Amino acid sequence: MAQPLVKKDDDRDDEADYSPFLGIEKGAVLQEARVFNDPQLDPRRCSQVITKLLYLLNQGETFTKVEATEVFFAVTKLFQSKDIGLRRMVYVMIKELSPSADEVIIVTSSLMKDMTSKTDMYRANAIRVLCRITDGTLLTQIERYLKQAIVDKNPVVASAALVSGIHLLQTNPEIVKRWSNEVQEAVQSRAALVQFHALALLHQIRQNDRLAVNKLVSSLTKGSVRSPLAQCLLIRYTSQVIRESANTQAGDRPFYDFLEGCLRHKAEMVIFEAARAITELNGVTTRELTPAITVLQLFLSSSKPVLRFAAVRTLNKVAMTHPMAVTNCNIDMESLISDQNRSIATLAITTLLKTGNESSVDRLMKQITNFMSDIADEFKIVVVEAIRSLCLKFPLKHRSLMNFLSNILREEGGFDYKKAIVDSIVILIRDIPEAKETGLLHLCEFIEDCEFTYLSTQILHFLGIEGPKTSDPSKYIRYIYNRVHLENATVRAAAVSTLAKFGAMVDTLKPRIFVLLRRCLFDNDDEVRDRATLYLNTLGGDGAVVQTGEDVKEFLFGSLDIPLVNLENSLKNYEPSEESFDIYSVPREVKTQPLAEKKAPGKKPTGLGAPPAGPPSTVDAYEKLLSSIPEFANFGKLFKSSAPVELTEAETEYAVNVVKHIFDGHVVFQYNCTNTIPEQLLENVTVIVDASEAEEFAEVASKPLRSLPYDSPGQTFVAFEKPEGIPAVGKFSNMLRFIVKEVDPSTGEAEDDGVEDEYQLEELEVVAADYILKVGVSNFRNAWESMGADCERIDEYGLGPRESLAEAVNAVIDLLGMQPCEGTEVVPNNSRSHTCLLSGVYIGNVKVLVRLQFGLDGPKDVAMKLAVRSEDEAVSDAIHEIVASG
Amino acid sequence: MDLCPLIKNILLLDTEGKRVAVKYYSDDWPTNSAKEAFEKAVFTKTQKTSARNEAEITMFDNYVVVYKFVQDLHFFVTGGENENEIILASVLQGFFDAVGLILRGTVDKREVLENLDLIFLCLDEIVDGGIILETDADVIAGKVASHSMDDGAPFSEQTITQALATARERLTRSLLT
């Protein structure tokens, strides 16, 4: 057993490939680990054995549960030794073994002792180990030490505690959030990395509080962050704040000066981070871009490949949206084509393709051909798309570009890549008449040997439209008819349709086409035979050769101008009767999606516990969902569905958000629930709603959710009756009630018996804004004038002291829930007054327009003049009512 | 966590693409075979390039990989596709230089294997769970070296070089016997 077995590499020359681990074997090393139990420990020998164990694990060897437990217990004995080096290896070993909860208890006291040791190295490492292996119950016990460690004067200890905090935040957010004060102090640390770790943790603690993040960014961008890594973080947070404030239209962008200032930082990573952040700003202007492009251009000629790569990758992205801004770099870019690093060369080429000129095309194409074989499909697609737009820009070059495309079409590649090439050829054929015939022949050759059914059918369809119009249509027939012999049913059917189109368009070919179509009558697939029969009859293949009629052509070539969804609905509703189905009765309007349902940016779920996106949040989808529930079917037309409102904090056991559905005389709350505990199955989930603070509402129905397994969201509903047409408001408190059953994580099976349990959710409110739809108007002045002053109501309000004019404007917009028009929601910096235009539809389908005039009255006080126009004076009054009470 | 720079893995392979020491900080590769497949892909993709003077960089499968070779060793640091390349490079440089300091300039596979415990400690000091702990090679090497001192000796009294010398001597001896 103890005899070492040579596992691998035994046939190698010992001298050349010497390794101290040669012939190492798990069983033997596990035996050796018994020295950990010796009463007189030999630190050197123990270290050596741990190294061997770590080596085995590192090479992918695994320990069985029993072996791991044994090693773990043996290793814990080593805490007796005072040898620092050995202790250090013990820490690493414990982390690698990731012991189970009952094993953790064994080392807890040793680690806690080390956590309070005088030796910095012990403190730092014990914290990291303990936080890695602890399961949360222990955390409250050691919390005090961790808080101390965060502000420890030794940077290594502080960093260890902060980084552990970042990891723990994922599992025990409520505890880590209590450390805010200490973390904030650590942000001011002189040690670069402590500052970096503290900033990362502080931001994560506050990430769900937009205002707090805003404040954090504003204060730090003014101060001096010393660490380059922390500065990079700050740049990322700043971009996030800029993105979420979304004031992109007028005036200076907030924090742009900070980003631009970072371009002059001494650390390259900060310069690059800032340059990249600027290029990724929403709606970035050329003026804002210029300084960023300038520093990136300098990077292009750096001696370091990493810098060149970073710069060219970023410029490549910029070239997609702002090709002109990058042309300045063309000379540097061209020299990068010969860069030894192929990734850099590829990026340079695709950038040049986007920004290049006619004279450089041939040269570029020659260089690209060499590259195509050693870059990934995703890059190839980029190249293909770049070539397509280049070809459209310089149609005279179509010959060489088309040749290039047909060459790469023949080479290996995945579906997306091939599709990109085919799409490009199709577009070039459509837009460049001279390229048509060669392009079609390239496509014909491609379908001879094409493994993708989708592409074959698309190409056949396209051939049917374009082929008959060429000078010699007969040469395509062979390719098409070959498909009927060699392909699957889908492609065969498409080929039959294409043949019929040639027959219909080219009279001279007709007799021969009929011969081919008749052969298809013996196909073993129904669809293929049916199509052949249909076309033979419509084209008159059974009798004499006749001129193809107009309606036959219309049938073959005309497109179906009815939305398929509508056709499907009409067909479902059609009841077989004397009256035949009339295709002209199918509505042609595409249901428009209301503007209000735009997805809020930055609300992306983060981390484990975040609620996954519920069902598609369009009114259509909601309407369908609600009408499928019998209890709610008679509520009438859905007026509005709110955006989901979170009722739980992020990363809690159960994530619940609510969507408020407003009907004329009812309100339905849709609770989207997610169970984030793998060991639990929830059943019979309901929300108990207390409407005592919502007097005008009376509960009429509730639809429980039968089962809520781990990580698959479900919905439960509660419906209320309210006075018809009245914008009743109120507060509702919610309690999640359910039966919880334990689930065995290894089998995924739930126990039979469950326990009833409750979970407190946050309150929810129905507010006046829920009764107004955000519907914009394109020309506010016209709409305002045509509405007339008949139902106009004007009044003035004092809004009291406000943080800023912009904040006051946003508050009123949120209160009313209306759509800002013509970008008037943006308040230019330092202005003393502002006019904001809003539009919307009030419940009962009454259009409402609002003109808000804000002015600063004194240093902070904001005064507002509110003018409302609508089709109904009661509605105008109601809007004033909302503002007066809000 | 999504805004914080994250390291997906640090790899140290030999000239045949075999593992010398590796550390994964991400769940992107849940099994050992997935890890090996990734190492093979990285190795094949970068094998023919010369990354002996300056750190090189490549991108594949939505990962950015920076790498550097010396003797018969290939150093890699992997990050997500949107990671700041220069941050990744600074981690690579920190690791590379720290190994150089720990091994007193003689960096090759044999020397690394003989001091593998120090290399593991080094990996442990650079990144914790994907988050960068330290990128300064002197500090990393200092932290690794500080462990090998004799019991009770305050380590402020020893210089790093001294500490390193003792460490190296002792371990070479212990592993060879």
Side-chain angles (χ1 to χ4, degrees):
Chain A
M1 177 75 177
Q3 177 189 357
L5 284 168
V6 177
K7 281 189 87 179
K8 44 189 166 183
D9 301 342
D10 47 351
D11 51 350
R12 280 268 189 65
D13 183 2
D14 264 14
E15 272 312 302
D17 201 41
Y18 166 79
S19 155
F21 300 101
L22 196 68
I24 189 169
E25 206 261 336
K26 182 171 88 170
V29 180
L30 289 174
Q31 289 276 326
E32 275 187 78
R34 297 198 171 158
V35 298
F36 299 166
N37 295 315
D38 285 355
Q40 281 308 97
L41 284 172
D42 175 356
R44 191 185 306 162
R45 178 139 171 71
C46 291
S47 274
Q48 197 186 336
V49 175
I50 292 186
T51 309
K52 284 185 184 171
L53 288 167
L54 286 172
Y55 174 82
L56 285 172
L57 288 172
N58 210 255
Q59 292 296 318
E61 186 77 73
T62 48
F63 293 165
T64 64
K65 188 84 192 77
V66 177
E67 286 165 347
T69 310
E70 237 165 63
V71 171
F72 176 77
F73 278 110
V75 166
T76 57
K77 303 266 169 48
L78 300 179
F79 275 101
Q80 289 167 20
S81 166
K82 295 259 183 305
D83 186 277
I84 301 188
L86 179 58
R87 184 69 55 86
R88 199 66 184 73
M89 295 306 283
V90 167
Y91 293 139
V92 175
M93 191 68 210
I94 292 177
K95 280 197 274 190
E96 285 298 323
L97 286 172
S98 46
S100 61
D102 46 335
E103 292 169 347
V104 169
I105 297 167
I106 312 290
V107 281
T108 305
S109 63
S110 306
L111 287 171
M112 278 172 71
K113 205 171 126 222
D114 284 0
M115 260 178 74
T116 51
S117 151
K118 283 202 177 61
T119 314
D120 295 331
M121 197 274 299
Y122 279 177
R123 285 212 303 287
N125 279 293
I127 287 171
R128 283 174 59 200
V129 176
L130 202 52
C131 292
R132 168 67 55 86
I133 61 177
T134 185
D135 65 345
T137 46
L138 191 67
L139 204 54
T140 41
Q141 285 181 55
I142 57 169
E143 192 186 355
R144 189 161 59 92
Y145 303 112
L146 290 175
K147 277 166 128 179
Q148 268 170 25
I150 288 173
V151 290
D152 197 293
K153 64 179 189 306
N154 182 299
V156 182
V157 177
S159 279
L162 288 162
V163 172
S164 299
I166 297 175
H167 296 313
L168 288 170
L169 192 66
Q170 314 296 322
T171 49
N172 296 284
E174 64 295 335
I175 294 180
V176 180
K177 279 178 184 166
R178 295 201 290 253
W179 307 346
S180 273
N181 286 337
E182 286 78 11
V183 179
Q184 209 152 6
E185 198 180 323
V187 172
Q188 306 302 325
S189 167
R190 298 198 150 274
L193 280 136
V194 174
Q195 193 171 46
F196 164 58
H197 296 134
L199 183 56
L201 180 54
L202 190 61
H203 179 262
Q204 269 182 54
I205 289 176
R206 299 188 173 166
Q207 62 182 353
N208 293 320
D209 182 351
R210 242 171 82 176
L211 209 65
V213 172
N214 239 318
K215 271 187 194 152
L216 178 70
V217 166
S218 335
S219 73
L220 286 175
T221 47
K222 282 179 208 121
S224 60
V225 171
R226 273 175 295 284
S227 143
L229 278 171
Q231 191 79 353
C232 287
L233 269 188
L234 185 56
I235 291 170
R236 293 184 188 184
Y237 301 155
T238 308
S239 325
Q240 191 189 30
V241 168
I242 295 177
R243 212 167 28 245
E244 282 173 4
S245 64
N247 296 351
T248 50
Q249 276 130 344
D252 281 346
R253 204 187 288 270
F255 300 118
Y256 174 79
D257 291 345
F258 165 72
L259 293 180
E260 206 210 332
C262 289
L263 296 175
R264 292 183 291 274
H265 199 276
K266 59 182 187 305
E268 279 160 348
M269 68 168 76
V270 176
I271 299 175
F272 173 66
E273 189 72 48
R276 192 171 70 162
I278 290 176
T279 64
E280 285 170 1
L281 290 173
N282 281 335
V284 64
T285 63
T286 316
R287 196 170 57 88
E288 287 170 323
L289 263 180
T290 311
I293 303 283
T294 310
V295 298
L296 290 174
Q297 188 176 4
L298 287 176
F299 280 6
L300 287 180
S301 45
S302 161
S303 63
K304 295 180 191 163
V306 173
L307 287 193
R308 297 199 298 273
F309 178 90
V312 73
R313 185 153 81 112
T314 310
L315 288 170
N316 189 296
K317 280 199 199 121
V318 178
M320 291 183 198
T321 47
H322 297 80
M324 290 317 286
V326 185
T327 44
N328 277 344
C329 309
N330 275 5
I331 294 177
D332 306 83
M333 212 61 97
E334 287 207 22
S335 60
L336 288 184
I337 295 178
S338 52
D339 199 297
Q340 287 210 327
N341 185 316
R342 304 300 234 186
S343 307
I344 295 176
T346 313
L347 286 165
I349 281 186
T350 49
T351 315
L352 283 168
L353 283 174
K354 286 169 201 149
T355 62
N357 54 36
E358 189 154 6
S359 58
S360 60
V361 169
D362 286 323
R363 188 158 44 91
L364 277 175
M365 295 314 297
K366 210 170 276 166
Q367 279 158 320
I368 293 173
T369 315
N370 301 332
F371 283 112
M372 286 307 268
S373 56
D374 57 37
I375 55 176
D377 269 14
E378 49 168 319
F379 273 129
K380 290 182 186 167
I381 292 172
V382 179
V383 175
V384 167
E385 276 160 6
I387 286 175
R388 175 173 76 207
S389 37
L390 191 71
C391 193
L392 293 175
K393 209 156 95 187
F394 308 119
L396 286 176
K397 292 287 170 195
H398 74 86
R399 204 173 302 276
S400 62
L401 294 170
M402 190 65 101
N403 258 333
F404 175 81
L405 289 176
S406 76
N407 282 337
I408 56 174
L409 195 52
R410 280 190 220 112
E411 280 157 23
E412 285 287 295
F415 173 76
D416 290 326
Y417 175 42
K418 289 288 162 80
K419 182 167 183 295
I421 304 173
V422 170
D423 285 349
S424 299
I425 295 183
V426 166
I427 288 172
L428 297 185
I429 290 173
R430 279 205 182 132
D431 290 10
I432 307 172
E434 304 85 61
K436 188 176 192 172
E437 305 233 342
T438 42
L440 286 177
L441 276 176
H442 288 318
L443 291 179
C444 283
E445 273 167 33
F446 174 60
I447 53 170
E448 292 275 80
D449 185 25
C450 170
E451 54 186 310
F452 305 109
T453 301
Y454 175 84
L455 291 180
S456 292
T457 53
Q458 293 291 305
I459 291 173
L460 283 168
H461 175 77
F462 186 69
L463 275 176
I465 294 167
E466 295 295 334
K469 297 185 212 154
T470 55
S471 56
D472 181 12
S474 63
K475 67 181 172 192
Y476 301 105
I477 301 296
R478 178 171 62 88
Y479 295 103
I480 300 165
Y481 189 64
N482 276 346
R483 301 301 100 222
V484 179
H485 284 302
L486 302 167
E487 293 279 1
N488 61 43
T490 315
V491 179
R492 293 205 301 276
V496 168
S497 299
T498 306
L499 284 175
K501 284 176 187 164
F502 275 83
M505 293 300 284
V506 190
D507 287 332
T508 49
L509 284 179
K510 222 175 224 176
R512 285 188 273 165
I513 296 279
F514 287 153
V515 174
L516 298 178
L517 283 180
R518 277 196 204 100
R519 284 189 201 161
C520 300
L521 292 174
F522 302 103
D523 197 283
N524 57 16
D525 183 79
D526 293 350
E527 174 78 17
V528 179
R529 283 198 311 274
D530 285 356
R531 283 198 193 191
T533 313
L534 174 69
Y535 292 132
L536 277 170
N537 282 318
T538 44
L539 295 176
D542 45 352
V545 174
V546 287
Q547 196 78 26
T548 313
E550 268 315 303
D551 46 343
V552 173
K553 278 189 187 166
E554 173 62 29
F555 170 69
L556 278 173
F557 295 99
S559 63
L560 188 66
D561 57 350
I562 301 165
L564 284 179
V565 193
N566 297 5
L567 180 61
E568 188 190 345
N569 279 337
S570 302
L571 280 170
K572 272 187 192 156
N573 293 337
Y574 172 71
E575 280 169 26
S577 64
E578 287 298 297
E579 208 174 322
S580 57
F581 181 77
D582 181 8
I583 196 158
Y584 295 105
S585 69
V586 179
R588 291 178 184 231
E589 292 88 47
V590 183
K591 259 197 190 170
T592 46
Q593 314 250 319
L595 286 164
E597 291 299 336
K598 254 191 266 163
K599 257 202 167 158
K603 267 206 157 175
K604 235 181 12 187
T606 47
L608 277 173
S617 57
T618 59
V619 166
D620 261 3
Y622 282 141
E623 208 168 3
K624 210 176 257 175
L625 178 72
L626 292 171
S627 63
S628 70
I629 300 167
E631 289 93 326
F632 310 147
N634 57 355
F635 286 179
K637 181 145 174 47
L638 176 63
F639 174 71
K640 181 183 179 179
S641 299
S642 74
V645 182
E646 300 297 334
L647 297 183
T648 50
E649 301 230 339
E651 289 140 20
T652 45
E653 299 98 305
Y654 314 112
V656 180
N657 65 42
V658 65
V659 178
K660 298 174 271 185
H661 300 291
I662 310 288
F663 292 87
D664 206 28
H666 295 88
V667 175
V668 176
F669 298 141
Q670 170 186 339
Y671 296 90
N672 299 313
C673 312
T674 311
N675 169 11
T676 64
I677 307 177
E679 296 84 18
Q680 284 191 0
L681 169 72
L682 306 189
E683 288 192 345
N684 216 0
V685 182
T686 51
V687 176
I688 308 300
V689 184
D690 174 6
S692 54
E693 283 182 74
E695 288 161 4
E696 291 175 278
F697 294 84
E699 186 170 331
V700 288
S702 149
K703 189 174 183 311
L705 173 62
R706 193 167 307 149
S707 149
L708 184 64
Y710 165 62
D711 205 24
S712 72
Q715 294 105 31
T716 162
F717 300 86
V718 180
F720 286 86
E721 199 169 36
K722 67 166 191 65
E724 204 144 312
I726 305 271
V729 296
K731 238 186 218 172
F732 302 80
S733 55
N734 307 291
M735 174 83 81
L736 195 65
R737 184 173 289 170
F738 46 80
I739 293 168
V740 55
K741 291 185 173 173
E742 296 283 317
V743 174
D744 184 340
S746 55
T747 62
E749 273 172 39
E751 282 175 14
D752 290 339
D753 298 329
V755 188
E756 191 157 309
D757 200 0
E758 288 182 344
Y759 188 80
Q760 184 68 48
L761 303 175
E762 278 172 34
E763 284 188 346
L764 97 99
E765 264 189 280
V766 171
V767 293
D770 289 326
Y771 297 98
I772 303 176
L773 274 181
K774 282 189 179 188
V775 177
V777 288
S778 53
N779 185 329
F780 189 87
R781 178 189 281 271
N782 273 355
W784 183 262
E785 295 303 331
S786 63
M787 185 81 84
D790 301 343
C791 303
E792 188 176 63
R793 289 284 183 279
I794 303 179
D795 208 343
E796 288 182 18
Y797 299 87
L799 301 181
R802 288 285 175 165
E803 198 169 300
S804 69
L805 204 52
E807 190 263 334
V809 172
N810 282 328
V812 177
I813 294 175
D814 285 346
L815 180 66
L816 290 174
M818 295 174 73
Q819 177 70 37
C821 300
E822 299 168 16
T824 53
E825 74 273 27
V826 182
V827 183
N829 275 352
N830 300 328
S831 51
R832 304 275 305 161
S833 65
H834 184 72
T835 302
C836 179
L837 309 172
L838 303 175
S839 114
V841 171
Y842 196 71
I843 190 164
N845 275 332
V846 184
K847 264 194 179 169
V848 185
L849 298 171
V850 166
R851 179 183 262 161
L852 296 161
Q853 284 162 295
F854 294 85
L856 275 175
D857 188 12
K860 286 277 176 199
D861 284 358
V862 177
M864 175 179 79
K865 183 174 164 188
L866 169 66
V868 185
R869 286 187 180 185
S870 75
E871 293 152 346
D872 182 345
E873 52 190 273
V875 172
S876 301
D877 287 332
I879 300 287
H880 275 281
E881 190 68 26
I882 295 173
V883 173
S885 59
Chain B
M1 200 96 147
D2 48 346
L3 285 180
C4 191
L6 286 179
I7 305 298
K8 300 257 182 195
N9 64 42
I10 299 182
L11 312 176
L12 183 50
L13 307 180
D14 69 8
T15 38
E16 285 162 15
K18 291 219 176 64
R19 259 181 217 172
V20 178
V22 297
K23 184 77 193 159
Y24 285 81
Y25 308 100
S26 144
D27 300 331
D28 295 9
W29 305 274
T31 62
N32 190 49
S33 50
K35 291 183 175 114
E36 277 173 349
F38 178 79
E39 285 156 31
K40 186 161 189 283
V42 173
F43 181 77
T44 341
K45 196 148 176 76
T46 58
Q47 195 180 11
K48 294 203 183 80
T49 56
S50 153
R52 292 188 182 269
N53 297 319
E54 289 287 354
E56 276 290 347
I57 182 162
T58 186
M59 204 180 144
F60 75 101
D61 285 355
N62 302 329
Y63 297 110
V64 177
V65 182
V66 290
Y67 56 99
K68 202 164 169 156
F69 304 158
V70 65
Q71 300 291 350
D72 49 359
L73 288 172
H74 294 199
F75 292 71
F76 301 90
V77 171
T78 308
E81 64 174 330
N82 291 320
E83 200 44 82
N84 179 329
E85 294 88 339
I86 302 166
I87 293 182
L88 295 177
S90 74
V91 174
L92 175 72
Q93 197 67 40
F95 179 42
F96 185 87
D97 291 347
V99 171
L101 283 172
I102 291 167
L103 304 180
R104 294 207 290 183
T106 332
V107 182
D108 56 29
K109 183 182 170 188
R110 180 175 176 149
E111 203 71 13
V112 163
L113 284 174
E114 279 174 6
N115 296 283
L116 198 61
D117 53 343
L118 300 183
I119 305 298
F120 284 141
L121 291 183
C122 185
L123 285 169
D124 187 55
E125 290 295 355
I126 294 174
V127 174
D128 182 301
I131 296 170
I132 301 166
L133 271 184
E134 182 57 76
T135 57
D136 184 325
D138 288 327
V139 180
I140 298 166
K143 284 204 259 179
V144 171
S146 73
H147 101 281
S148 306
M149 248 151 290
D150 289 328
D151 231 351
F155 57 79
S156 53
E157 284 172 21
Q158 282 196 20
T159 66
I160 290 170
T161 346
Q162 271 174 333
L164 281 168
T166 349
R168 188 160 163 275
E169 250 169 52
R170 278 176 45 176
L171 274 131
T172 316
R173 211 179 331 119
S174 65
L175 284 167
L176 282 172
T177 47

